[in-house]
Each structure stands twice: as C-alpha cells, then as structure tokens.
Amino acid sequence: MSPPVRGTARGRPSPAPSLGGLLASKEIVVACGPGGVGKTTTAAAAAATAAVRSGGRVLVLTVDPARRLADALGVKGIGNEAVRVPPQAFAAAGVQPKGELWAAMLDTKQSWDDLVRRHAPDARTREQILANPLYRNISARFVQSHDYIAMERLYELHAEGCYDLLVVDTPPSRNALDFLDAPARMADFFSSRLLRWLIVPYRSRLVNVASRPFYQVADRILGSQFLSDIAEFFILFQSMYDGFVTRAKAVERLLADRRTSFLVVSTLEPTPLREAETFVGALEARGLHLGALVLNKVLPPFLLDPAGAQAAEAFVRDHERLAKALAGELPGIPKAQAAQLARVLQTVGRSFSDYRLVAEREQEQRAELSRAPEVLVSVPSVDRDVVDLAGLLALGERLWPR
Ligand SMILES: Nc1ncnc2c1ncn2[C@@H]1O[C@H](COP(=O)(O)OP(=O)(O)O)[C@@H](O)[C@H]1O
Ligand SMILES: [Mg+2]
C-alpha cells in the first residue's frame, strides 16, 4: 500500500546520479554504516538539505543525536512525536527552505508499547504484557530490540504517509548488518520451534514443571519468579505471534522496496572502510538498493593540488630566507624574531607535506574501493562539531554539490 505522494519529483528517476537525485526520487533513505563515522550527522544534513532544495515534508528519524544536535533540531529528549524545525531556524541560517523539515527521535520503549497495543488480542492481555517485568527489560534494554524497532518505526511512519521523504539514522550496533536482519530474525523468533518448546510445560498445567531437571536447575539459578515471568511473557506473546510475523515481513519488504534506498556512510580509515565494504556487499546480496556511499571526514582536496606541494617544499627548503624577508613585514613579528619564524615556516611546510601524504593515501583507498556505487560522495572534515542547522546545511552542500 502506498501513501499519497505529495512531492513533485518523487517516484521519478533522477536524470544524473547524485545524492540530490536520490533524495528527490526515493521515499525512504536509510543512513547506515560503522559506528562513529557520522551516520546521525549525515542523515540530518541530507534531510535538511532535501527540505531546503527539493521541498515537500521531510522527516529525519534520529537514533542517537549528540545533545546539541538534538537541541538544534528541536527534538526534546526521546519521544516518538515528530517536531517541525521552525522556519526561523532556517532564517537564522540564512536560507529559505522550499519545504518543511521535521525531526523525531526513536523511542524504543514507546515503540514497543505501541506495537503491543496494536497486536494484543484484548485489553487484559495487553495490560499483562505491558506490566510483565521481562517484557519491560527486553523492550527497554536489548540492543537487538533497538534494531528491530527502528525499522518497525520506519514502517509505521511510512504507512502514515505524512511525509514525502523519510531519512533514517540507524542505531549503533556491534554489527552494522544487525538491523538489516532484524525484521527477518524477529519473524523467525516468533515462529520458532524453540519458542513453542519453551512455553509448552507452562501452558500445560498438568505437567509438573518443577520436576523437570532443566527447570530445577534454572529455578535454582534464576529464581522461580524470573522463570514464571518468562513463561508468562511467552504465553502472552503467543497471542500476538501472527501479527508480529506478518508485520516483520512487511517491514522487510519495505526495506527491499524500490522506494527505499541505503546510504552507506564511512570514513577512509581502514577498519570502518572494510566494514562499510562488507556492508555494501551485504546490501547487494539481499537485493537492497545501495543509493550512495558517503566518505565522511576526508581530508580536503586542496591538499592534492601540486601547487600546494611546491609551496610546502619551498617553505621547508627556503625557510630561513623567507623568514628574513617576512620578519618586519608581518604585524607583531619584528626582524629579531626571524629565527622563530623560520622554524614555524619549516614546521608548517613539513606538516602540510604529511597531510598531503595522508590525502594521497585516502585518494588511493577511494580508487581501490572494490564496490563503488553509482554515487560516491566525499565530505571533508569540518573544523568544528556539526551541531546546528547552518553546520548541517554546509555539510549538505558537500553531500549534494550544486
Ligand atoms: N564531516 C564532519 N566533519 C567534522 N565532524 C563531523 C563530521 N561528520 C560528523 N562529525 C562529528 O563526528 C561525531 C560523530 O558523528 P555522528 O553523526 O554522531 O556519528 P555516528 O552516528 O555514525 O555514530 C559528531 O561529533 C559529529 O559532529
Ligand atoms: Mg549515530
């Protein structure tokens, strides 16, 4: 089922492959990749830029924004409620957006509760599940549950059909692939024989549970309260299996839908890059659409300019002569400080050359990418943390050059 499409260009293929084309033609863009590379920042920057340039209603669903970024977007604490980033915030950043930017932060607990409310067969079961201690622990703490619920929430938002574009940040997990598999795993779990086997002794009141060796041991280790919580949890949950399985499969289908695309974010450091490449392969293997690879926090391209290298070499080679000529000419640097100035010039020249070497190495790594997608974007590292709309939009200019 497809929600009403309000945008202008959505659904149409883009003329030239660019991140802008991707954002304009897809309904869901999922930012994923290794930890700490800039997924949350990239998702927010892409969404803000799409709202400014393509228009329509754009929602960024964040998972773990830095506090100041959350403040800048206006998302107050966790809560599934989407808030509109006020037009004044854009005005303060000096732009007039064509569309609207909305932001929401994933609330795992709340989303699980909503899911239970939707699938519980009756009010009594619903309240029992929500009050069950095991359920409360699982829904609030399990990282795996975080993975699933992020995708589930995405499904829900998409089905509501209130937005032209959803840009989704993904949870930090040990393995970036976890969330891709989360819906299938959830479906497997609820249809698993293990689960059915677990609850059998509890369902049948005729069986004396405590007499079974497994439960005797478990009882001693975990305590009987814990065991009965588990049993209650599974028995209650059983009433929702079908709903859950159907739902998890629908979520999985949505990820594979042609309206959905993935944005893999990485830095050019060896470990994240390797992980990102694995991830790109995994997307391919699952038939999911890889929209773009964003190489974040790369060194700026001016480091590769041969003229820069020559200037740096001149600094190193002629530092004494240059210092003599410059001292007395630069404000605050008298002729007597020529020796210090010479050392500064030499050091600057050397570190420029060092940076240049790293930039060359980065360029080689980019060229060696075994699975380069159609859209490959490099975003330089900026001087300060990206914590406001102006910073996001500046990053957006790099993601989606004019
Ligand atoms: N291009 C960039 N230049 C400078 N800092 C960046 C850039 N992209 C992200 N950051 C900073 O890096 C940190 C981690 O980014 P974040 O988006 O939270 O990563 P992730 O979500 O992948 O863990 C944040 O402090 C963010 O401001
Ligand atoms: Mg993050």
Side-chain angles (χ1 to χ4, degrees):
M1 187 188 68
S2 153
V5 173
R6 302 165 12 117
T8 46
R10 265 160 239 296
R12 264 191 259 149
S14 56
S18 75
L19 196 59
L22 189 76
L23 293 169
S25 61
K26 298 290 175 183
E27 291 174 19
I28 295 177
V29 172
V30 185
C32 49
V37 295
K39 294 182 294 295
T40 303
T41 312
T42 304
T49 309
V52 168
R53 296 219 223 148
S54 305
R57 272 160 71 103
V58 182
L59 176 82
V60 56
L61 177 62
T62 59
V63 174
D64 61 343
R67 174 75 188 283
R68 285 190 303 164
L69 178 62
D71 287 348
L73 293 171
V75 283
K76 300 205 175 30
I78 50 170
N80 275 334
E81 192 110 356
V83 290
R84 183 172 172 190
V85 178
Q88 300 89 289
F90 282 96
V95 288
Q96 201 178 5
K98 276 194 196 162
E100 299 173 9
L101 177 64
W102 290 71
M105 184 153 154
L106 183 73
D107 183 339
T108 308
K109 174 96 190 86
Q110 164 98 53
S111 302
W112 269 110
D113 291 356
D114 290 349
L115 205 59
V116 168
R117 287 196 184 94
R118 190 170 318 117
H119 294 303
D122 54 66
R124 204 176 106 97
T125 314
R126 181 186 67 214
E127 293 314 312
Q128 279 177 314
I129 293 176
L130 294 177
N132 180 281
L134 186 68
Y135 165 74
R136 287 159 62 150
N137 266 296
I138 288 182
S139 56
R141 302 216 185 107
F142 274 13
V143 176
Q144 300 272 322
S145 91
H146 215 72
D147 283 331
Y148 175 68
I149 216 69
M151 296 303 107
E152 155 67 34
R153 182 81 193 116
L154 170 65
Y155 179 90
E156 186 62 23
L157 283 163
H158 187 255
E160 281 168 12
C162 301
Y163 301 95
D164 299 299
L165 171 66
L166 298 166
V167 184
V168 197
D169 180 21
T170 47
S173 37
R174 272 160 295 125
N175 176 354
L177 296 174
D178 279 350
F179 82 90
L180 282 186
D181 297 331
R185 253 202 321 258
M186 189 61 78
D188 283 353
F189 175 72
F190 280 108
S191 27
S192 75
R193 299 202 13 219
L194 171 70
L195 188 57
R196 285 167 209 282
W197 178 82
L198 263 176
I199 62 175
V200 165
Y202 289 92
R203 250 194 322 199
S204 161
R205 298 286 173 222
L206 299 173
V207 179
N208 182 356
V209 174
S211 69
R212 296 192 165 195
F214 168 78
Y215 288 99
Q216 273 174 354
V217 176
D219 197 69
R220 241 179 289 133
I221 297 171
L222 303 168
S224 53
Q225 183 57 46
F226 182 72
L227 274 186
S228 65
D229 286 345
I230 293 184
E232 187 198 57
F233 170 75
F234 285 128
I235 290 167
L236 291 169
F237 246 63
Q238 205 185 22
S239 63
M240 305 197 301
Y241 287 176
D242 292 345
F244 260 76
V245 173
T246 311
R247 181 71 168 205
K249 294 211 158 121
V251 173
E252 208 181 0
R253 274 198 303 276
L254 180 62
L255 293 183
D257 194 282
R258 50 178 273 283
R259 293 166 295 179
T260 304
S261 188
F262 290 80
L263 196 74
V264 177
V265 186
S266 179
T267 60
L268 277 167
E269 290 157 297
T271 309
L273 193 59
R274 215 173 309 123
E275 210 178 309
E277 285 198 280
T278 308
F279 195 83
V280 166
L283 288 175
E284 255 169 36
R286 287 165 176 75
L288 302 175
H289 184 258
L290 168 66
L293 176 58
V294 174
L295 300 172
N296 193 22
K297 304 192 195 182
V298 302
L299 286 169
F302 71 74
L303 285 168
L304 294 168
D305 186 339
Q310 281 164 12
E313 278 159 27
F315 266 35
V316 176
R317 192 180 53 235
D318 295 332
H319 56 282
E320 281 175 0
R321 197 165 58 80
L322 286 168
K324 276 197 197 113
L326 281 172
E329 298 293 321
L330 294 174
I333 311 209
K335 281 213 170 297
Q337 279 180 20
Q340 284 87 338
L341 181 58
R343 275 197 291 274
V344 171
L345 292 177
Q346 190 182 29
T347 311
V348 168
R350 281 192 184 141
S351 30
F352 188 95
S353 301
D354 289 346
Y355 272 114
R356 181 185 157 80
L357 279 180
V358 182
E360 275 172 357
R361 179 75 199 111
E362 282 192 354
Q363 201 187 29
E364 280 163 25
Q365 271 173 314
R366 221 180 331 236
E368 280 165 14
L369 280 173
S370 53
R371 294 186 163 97
E374 250 183 15
V375 182
L376 180 66
V377 202
S378 296
V379 177
S381 190
V382 294
D383 294 340
R384 54 197 183 98
D385 265 3
V386 189
V387 290
D388 56 15
L389 204 50
L392 290 176
L393 293 170
L395 219 58
E397 291 293 327
R398 305 303 193 127
L399 282 168
W400 179 359
R402 284 171 203 271

